[in-house]
Structures are given as structure tokens and as C-alpha cells.
Amino acid sequence: MKNLGQEILMVGTGYVGLVTAVGLAELGHTVACNDIDPRRIEDLQNGIPPFLEPGVPELLRKGIDARRLSFSQNLAEAYSGQRYVCVAVQTPIGMDGKTDLSAVHTAVRGIARVVDRPTLVVIKSTVPVDVFSTLSMLPEVIESGHLTFIACPEFLAEGTAMWDFFHPRRTIVGSDNEEYSREIAGLFHGLGGSYVITDAKTAQLIKYSANTFLATRVAFINEISQICDQYSIDAHDVVTALTMDPRVGNTYLNPSIGFGGPCLPKDLAALIQCSTDRGVTTPLLSGVATQNIAHLQYRIDEMVRSLGDGRKVAVLGLSFKPDTDDVRNSFSLTIIQHLLDAGITVHAMDPHAIRAAARFLEHPELRYFDNVLAAAAGTDLQIFFTPWSQFGSLDLDRLAAVVARPNIYDCMRSISQTKAVEAGFAYHGVGQVNGGRTKPTFEVSDNPALH
Ligand code: UGA
């Protein structure tokens, strides 16, 4: 069902809320955005996004100029009778290990207080499977009587979120009312991919399953990479052959130092908690969480061995992945903290995430840089963490000339091993055969008889 050109209210302008709002505006809807952060609202009114996300600044400006995007700190002011109200606020894991729903509750209470007619409340935040039963029982919701909750989980990945919005593989909509679900699906009409209409609990579980499955893949390949290390096998060679089988699929199997960021670890913990609440034990999911932490420690131990008696380290890349300045749950910060605790001096570098990192980490032995050569100068180990594309074109001879010891630890193949060795570096790459490949080589061809 086509349902374009609608008036929509978006509560929350974080990664999910803002990208979705900007995308919906581009589709032709008029989106009024609300956020409790006054500074953020003021910036957004001036076309300044609160985070780095490719494509957002351009579409934000376009939406504002076309008067299809507006921003207000005041929910009552932002509300003008919209039938569709999206909730995209944070759902972190609280101190008690459970999903902290206070921001969702606050948003829903606020919405219940301001709306004056039947309203479809679209939950974009990732929430526990049976959350709608709790939301429906909030006193303000009961009193209002106008709200119907619809689950519409998001599958945007940071760094490619805008692209993901316009190229969804599937749009999942879940509620008790099929008609309403179709109405919501219609808001995204024309984007392609599959549309799945289901109940709310199924929709939420699909979201958790998607992220925990991705986490499982990473934990799996990282475990394989440890086995590879012991047999001097290149884990990437294993992945190349493994992913030739369509049953395995050919993405999301890059050996790393572990999965981080604000979503995968959180959603894994939340699903384990949802299961525990219902008496379901989850040895596999718990194992994934345990593996991720143990694997990080295994890789940190390797870094420390690479450092030897050195006392100064450059950590290059702070965001949890490239094309974002998000450092939440970035293992780069965990590594830095570990080194600082061991009395090591750290030069931390990132092209975009210094401000964000400095909010979490300040230390007399920690200095921030926005330039690789300046950060690497005088260091005994150069850890390439985030695979920013600019690292791939670094002049490694110049880098070798400024460091105290040419000694690279490469977490996600930012640097070519061959080029690094040619430039005189000792090179350790996660999932790679270090110290050079042993024969025979790994060769892929259509027809070996031709060779
Ligand atoms: C993830 C999902 O990919 C999105 O589909 C989902 O919508 C989003 O969470 C969310 O729930 O909001 P995101 O956390 O932005 O997106 O980033 P990913 O690209 O999935 O990376 C997560 C972590 O896994 C990173 O630390 C990354 O380095 C690591 N990873 C990923 C690997 O170690 N190996 C891989 O092969 C892939």
C-alpha cells in the first residue's frame, strides 16, 4: 500500500531517528523532529548533524530547505496532529543488566500527553520482545486511549546508514492490526526489498536475531582465526573458500579483534536477558558474548607481546568502525585503557572521533592527534585499529622514518603486509600469517587445468 506524502513526528534524533527522518523527508513526507537536547536541536535547525554519517548533511539541508524537516525541543510544539509518531530513543543496558527502557517510557508518556486523536506509535528503538504489553499499561497511555503501538525495527549500520535506508533488504512491521501495519509499511513505499507484516513480538525478535546472528558470525570467525594462528594458516584464505558456499553467505566474516559498537554487544546482552526472563538458557548466545571478550584479551596479549619492552604506542583509529565518529563500545578505547593501566604512553589518532573519545578517556599519558605521522612519531608500536580508507594510502616509508621502532599491529587489514614489510616494518595482522606466507600459495581460479 502506497502511503506517501504524510505528516510524521519523530521523537529522538540519534543515529536511527535522524537518518530515518531525513530519509522519510527525502521520500516526500513532512517530518517534525523532537529531541530533549537543546544544543542538538539548535544545530539541527542550522543544518548541522550531531554525528558523522555520510549523506546525512546533504539530505538534512535539502529537507530543511524544502520545509519537509523541522526540529523542536518541545514535543507539544512539534505535534500538529500527526497520525504517525516514531520513537527512536536509546535503549542501553542498565546497571542491572536489563534493557533500560526509561527513555522509551518518557517518550511514550510524552506522546500520550500531547496527542488528541488516534495515533500510530511506531517503535524504531530496539526493545525487548514483549515490551508493548508494558507500554500499553503506562497510566498516560491508558488515560489517552489514542495510542496504538507498531514495531518497525531498523537495520541501518553506522557509516552506511543513509544508503541502508534507501536500500533495505527487508522492512519489518509488527502489530496486532494488519491494516495499521500495512499503513506503516506504505510510508516506506518504493524503497525495494521485502516487506514483512507480522505481530510485534515476532518483529522485535527478528531484530534481535539479526544482530545476534551477525555477532555469532564474527565470534565464529574470530575463533577460527585463533586456530589459524596456531597452524600458521591465513584466516582470510579460509574465509575466501568458506564464503564460496552460498549457504554460508559471503559477508560479515572478517576476522577482527571482536565486535563492538553500540548495537551488537547490547542486543546480544538484551536477548540473553529476554530469554532468561522466560527460563530459556542460551549457551550459544552466552558463548558468543564470552568468546568476544576472551578474543579481545587474546588479541591485546598479542599486542603487548609485539610491544616488548617498548613504552610508547600509537593507536590509529578510535571509532568502532570507519565512516562514523561513534566510539561507544569501541575496542580501540579498551585497548588504550589497557595500555595506560600498564604504564604505557599512548598517542591516539583519528580523523573524526577525537572529540567523542576525549569525553570517555582523559589521562596524563594519553595524547590525541588527527594526523598519523604526528601520532606515530617516536612510538615503539603502531596499532591500526579502525580501517579508515586513508590508512590504505599511507606513505609507509615516511611512517617508518618517524617511528622509534617500525612495528605495526593491524587489527582489520588497514595496511598491506607486503608493503609494510618492504618499508621495513615488523608486521602483525589479525587473521594473517605473520612473518610471511609459507608455500604453497592460496590460489583461486575457475579451471586449475588451465594453469
Ligand atoms: C549493526 C548491524 O549491522 C545493523 O544491521 C543494525 O541495524 C545495527 O547494528 C543496529 O542495531 O543499530 P553497526 O553496529 O552500526 O550495525 O555496525 P556493524 O557494521 O554491524 O559492525 C559491528 C561490529 O562488528 C564492529 O565492531 C565491526 O568491526 C565488527 N565486525 C563486523 C567484525 O568484526 N567482522 C565483520 O565481519 C563484521
Side-chain angles (χ1 to χ4, degrees), residues 351-364:
H352 296 283
I354 291 176
R355 235 181 45 196
R359 279 204 291 270
F360 289 95
L361 264 185
E362 286 289 1
H363 191 281

Side-chain angles (χ1 to χ4, degrees), residues 154-156 158 207 211 218 252-254 256 260 263 321:
E154 57 84 19
F155 299 95
L156 313 171
E158 288 183 26
K207 165 69 189 183
N211 272 4
V218 176
Y252 226 89
L253 275 174
N254 295 315
S256 65
C263 306
K321 63 188 279 197

Side-chain angles (χ1 to χ4, degrees), residues 138-390:
L138 292 172
E140 292 84 347
V141 174
I142 295 171
E143 199 178 318
S144 153
H146 286 315
L147 307 191
T148 300
F149 295 102
I150 318 267
C152 185
E154 57 84 19
F155 299 95
L156 313 171
E158 288 183 26
T160 57
M162 216 59 257
W163 195 91
D164 294 340
F165 178 89
F166 290 110
H167 304 89
R169 293 194 176 84
R170 73 291 213 204
T171 300
I172 312 280
V173 188
S175 79
D176 294 341
N177 185 314
E178 205 181 306
E179 192 100 339
Y180 290 162
S181 290
R182 290 189 195 285
E183 219 180 306
I184 298 303
L187 296 174
F188 301 93
H189 182 85
L191 287 183
S194 305
Y195 288 83
V196 177
I197 304 293
T198 181
D199 61 276
K201 285 191 282 194
T202 306
Q204 306 297 10
L205 190 55
I206 290 169
K207 165 69 189 183
Y208 278 133
S209 304
N211 272 4
T212 53
F213 182 69
L214 294 177
T216 306
R217 284 175 78 91
V218 176
F220 168 80
I221 203 59
N222 282 341
E223 199 153 299
I224 295 290
S225 77
Q226 288 194 26
I227 301 170
C228 287
D229 288 350
Q230 298 313 314
Y231 287 96
S232 294
I233 294 168
D234 191 313
H236 299 93
D237 290 350
V238 175
V239 171
T240 302
L242 192 62
T243 56
M244 287 171 185
D245 184 337
R247 291 173 300 177
V248 173
N250 66 0
T251 57
Y252 226 89
L253 275 174
N254 295 315
S256 65
I257 69 161
F259 56 84
C263 306
L264 263 49
K266 167 178 83 78
D267 292 352
L268 181 60
L271 184 56
I272 293 171
Q273 183 62 48
C274 283
S275 314
T276 309
D277 287 349
R278 292 295 168 105
V280 181
T281 52
T282 51
L284 176 65
L285 296 180
S286 304
V288 169
T290 309
Q291 200 286 336
N292 202 40
I293 298 302
H295 183 71
L296 172 64
Q297 190 56 52
Y298 169 89
R299 294 296 178 199
I300 289 179
D301 290 347
E302 265 183 350
M303 292 174 201
V304 170
R305 280 199 298 277
S306 295
L307 177 61
D309 59 1
R311 307 304 299 161
K312 200 180 272 188
V313 174
V315 176
L316 306 159
L318 296 165
S319 58
F320 82 99
K321 63 188 279 197
D323 295 322
T324 177
D325 54 1
D326 196 345
V327 299
R328 288 175 294 167
N329 221 342
S330 169
F331 286 164
S332 179
L333 272 51
T334 317
I335 294 166
I336 293 171
Q337 188 64 63
H338 186 96
L339 293 169
L340 292 170
D341 290 347
I344 309 291
T345 299
V346 179
H347 290 182
M349 177 272 163
D350 195 282
H352 296 283
I354 291 176
R355 235 181 45 196
R359 279 204 291 270
F360 289 95
L361 264 185
E362 286 289 1
H363 191 281
E365 289 303 318
L366 171 63
R367 280 182 66 196
Y368 288 103
F369 297 82
D370 59 8
N371 173 290
V372 175
L373 291 178
T379 58
D380 304 299
L381 175 66
Q382 301 79 47
I383 298 173
F384 282 86
F385 180 80
T386 321
W388 285 104
S389 60
Q390 68 180 80

Side-chain angles (χ1 to χ4, degrees), residues 79-95:
Y79 179 68
S80 56
Q82 294 95 334
R83 174 163 172 75
Y84 309 106
V85 181
C86 298
V87 174
V89 295
Q90 71 277 21
T91 49
I93 297 290
M95 296 299 274

Side-chain angles (χ1 to χ4, degrees), residues 69-109:
L69 275 176
S70 60
F71 299 92
S72 169
Q73 197 206 333
N74 185 321
L75 186 59
E77 210 175 86
Y79 179 68
S80 56
Q82 294 95 334
R83 174 163 172 75
Y84 309 106
V85 181
C86 298
V87 174
V89 295
Q90 71 277 21
T91 49
I93 297 290
M95 296 299 274
D96 57 359
K98 298 191 176 198
T99 302
D100 177 355
L101 286 168
S102 51
V104 174
H105 285 186
T106 305
V108 167
R109 283 194 170 109

